[in-house]
Amino acid sequence: MSVLVTGGAGYIGSHTCVELLNEGYEVVVVDNLSNSSKISLDRVEKLTNKKLKFYEVDLLNKEGLRDVFKKEKIDSVIHFAALKAVGESVKEPLKYYHNNIAGTLVLCEVMKEFNVKNIVFSSSATVYGDPKIIPITEECEKGEITNPYGQTKAMMEQILIDINKADKDFSVVLLRYFNPVGAHESGEIGEDPKGIPNNLMPYISQVAVGKLKSLSVFGNDYNTKDGTGVRDYIHVVDLSIGHIKALKKLERERGVFIYNLGTGVGYSVLDMIKAFERASNTKINYEFKERRGGDIACCYADPSKAQRELNFKAIRDLNKMCEDTWRWQTKNPNGYEK
Ligand code: NAD
Ligand code: WQD
């Protein structure tokens, strides 16, 4: 079975390539390297002792993508390729709508042309907005989304659902990730944000390693146990394994399937700081700041549907998430560049 992984050189994509190769899938990566480095894929090959095919192609380049489908026999697609910085999407909405939506349309058109009918899509808990129910089940209505990035996720979900309505054989798994963190336990691949990180975990680890001075904790007056925001952090290797389970679902059944990928446990920002200090044996400097625009108090998954239907359960705990992040950070203080 051959799987096309769009955005496969990125953070979650590279970890998923490892799991795919270890499961015996043939892997074809398409990535324009706009937010990643080819070195991640070299390391994937080294870690698995297996080869994958890599095409440096932009999804917006339809001819380039058609060439890949002509050369490779693709059975299924895992679609990671997207821009994902929430703040940037507010400043540059057109860039986000164009890249994420048009990229997905081109991909689906080429899939249709080549009769490829399985897709696993990277969605996000962001589609729930400020959730009405906690823990969040898949039945929870999509909420008011406050940024263009999140809007693109909700729109891409709808595009895939509509394609299935017109062609029942076109089958889709929408995976709504909670907060992916951590790294492969080898420390060879991990998250390599460009510039100053937007997300909590890479920010904490750059403070720990001395690249950044102090963490700003956005808000300490939320209605949570310690006043700081609560999230459902999931280890990226668990998340990647969720994609294999989703592919296997499509090998058994046709339709549209929606799953939360989270642990079901919520941790506050202060919990994360303490856990990282323990795992890294460092001191994290932090100061409380104003709430960040668009943030919600609390968000964690009810992960039971994925457990029931996919036999998926996230098993790596918070300590492992921090230890693995720290190993990646200390082995690669400048990411893939040096
Ligand atoms: P990432 O930026 O590391 O990976 C995305 C990859 O897609 C990058 O390698 C980038 O170069 C590539 N890409 C972007 N636009 C492209 C295009 N037009 N053509 C070809 N390649 C393109 O991000 P990630 O954290 O690995 O996220 C993967 C997916 O998961 C994204 O769709 C993201 O929105 C989604 N997601 C991520 C998170 C998170 O917190 N990391 C949470 C929920 C959902
Ligand atoms: C986590 C908590 C912050 C940074 C985002 C996207 C979401 C999804 C995952 C892609 C919050 C606090 C953070 C900092 C802080 N991405 N924080 N200081 O906002 O839950 O989700 O990434 O789909 O769509 O919105 O993740 O890591 O940014 O924040 O205090 O410097 O840490 O306020 O409570 P978030 P995050």
Side-chain angles (χ1 to χ4, degrees):
M1 294 286 269
S2 179
V3 182
L4 175 72
V5 184
T6 76
Y11 172 44
I12 305 169
S14 56
H15 288 80
T16 302
C17 288
V18 169
E19 300 306 322
L20 285 167
L21 290 167
N22 284 340
E23 271 292 307
Y25 288 95
E26 281 156 41
V27 173
V28 179
V29 169
V30 165
D31 200 302
N32 64 2
L33 302 181
S34 59
N35 195 39
S36 53
S37 160
K38 164 75 173 56
I39 298 170
S40 66
L41 295 176
D42 299 338
R43 296 200 182 165
V44 167
E45 291 188 331
K46 202 175 99 189
L47 281 172
T48 56
N49 207 15
K50 293 192 173 153
K51 293 275 171 212
L52 53 72
K53 302 260 179 65
F54 171 60
Y55 294 90
E56 186 174 342
V57 170
D58 194 308
L59 284 189
L60 297 167
N61 172 3
K62 192 169 186 179
E63 276 317 302
L65 194 60
R66 291 182 79 244
D67 285 344
V68 176
F69 277 74
K70 267 186 222 155
K71 281 197 199 115
E72 309 292 342
K73 202 210 145 316
I74 307 293
D75 298 299
S76 302
V77 174
I78 304 182
H79 180 31
F80 292 107
L83 296 173
K84 63 161 184 177
V86 171
E88 186 186 55
S89 82
V90 175
K91 293 194 191 96
E92 298 188 68
L94 276 175
K95 181 172 158 185
Y96 274 68
Y97 284 113
H98 189 66
N99 187 76
N100 294 1
I101 305 291
T104 300
L105 292 177
V106 170
L107 173 66
C108 291
E109 284 162 4
V110 177
M111 285 175 69
K112 184 172 181 200
E113 186 181 335
F114 287 83
N115 211 27
V116 177
K117 299 203 172 197
N118 296 322
I119 185 164
V120 175
F121 176 64
S122 295
S123 190
S124 168
T126 198
V127 300
Y128 295 114
D130 197 348
K132 306 277 173 300
I133 325 163
I134 299 257
I136 306 173
T137 67
E138 291 79 355
E139 279 69 47
C140 182
E141 274 174 39
K142 286 194 202 169
E144 194 191 325
I145 302 171
T146 54
N147 60 81
Y149 163 74
Q151 294 287 2
T152 69
K153 288 287 157 192
M155 288 177 190
M156 291 184 282
E157 283 197 354
Q158 193 58 49
I159 289 167
L160 296 172
I161 290 168
D162 288 342
I163 300 175
N164 164 271
K165 280 187 188 147
D167 172 6
K168 290 291 176 204
D169 202 30
F170 182 87
S171 292
V172 182
V173 181
L174 305 177
L175 295 178
R176 293 179 176 160
Y177 313 159
F178 281 67
N179 289 57
V181 295
H184 191 268
E185 66 180 356
S186 62
E188 289 294 314
I189 56 173
E191 185 169 13
D192 181 16
K194 291 208 159 82
I196 296 182
N198 299 304
N199 296 113
L200 180 65
M201 189 67 137
Y203 204 108
I204 290 180
S205 71
Q206 292 197 13
V207 172
V209 83
K211 281 182 80 176
L212 296 170
K213 274 211 172 67
S214 171
L215 171 75
S216 300
V217 175
F218 299 137
N220 62 350
D221 57 351
Y222 285 108
N223 185 19
T224 58
K225 62 173 187 176
D226 60 21
T228 66
V230 167
R231 297 290 183 273
D232 184 339
Y233 297 91
I234 176 169
H235 195 294
V236 65
V237 173
D238 282 329
L239 187 73
S240 299
I241 292 168
H243 292 72
I244 311 292
K245 305 268 187 184
L247 272 185
K248 295 205 184 291
K249 175 86 174 167
L250 294 182
E251 290 163 17
R252 298 192 296 271
E253 255 178 275
R254 316 309 297 150
V256 175
F257 309 97
I258 305 179
Y259 299 105
N260 288 336
L261 293 187
T263 63
V265 181
Y267 289 110
S268 72
V269 177
L270 295 181
D271 289 334
M272 297 303 286
I273 294 172
K274 279 184 220 125
F276 205 90
E277 286 183 333
R278 266 196 309 274
S280 63
N281 201 20
T282 59
K283 177 95 195 69
I284 310 294
N285 296 321
Y286 68 89
E287 41 190 338
F288 292 118
K289 294 277 174 65
E290 291 293 291
R291 293 180 179 192
R292 185 173 65 178
D295 272 355
I296 55 175
C298 185
C299 172
Y300 56 91
D302 176 338
S304 57
K305 188 179 177 206
Q307 188 169 358
R308 232 174 18 250
E309 295 187 14
L310 298 181
N311 191 25
F312 170 77
K313 189 167 174 13
I315 54 170
R316 290 163 178 81
D317 65 11
L318 181 57
N319 183 49
K320 176 96 181 127
M321 298 179 207
C322 294
E323 274 179 5
D324 289 343
T325 303
W326 184 234
R327 192 174 303 107
W328 153 255
Q329 180 70 63
T330 46
K331 270 180 123 174
N332 306 271
N334 298 313
Y336 290 113
E337 291 313 312
K338 291 269 155 25

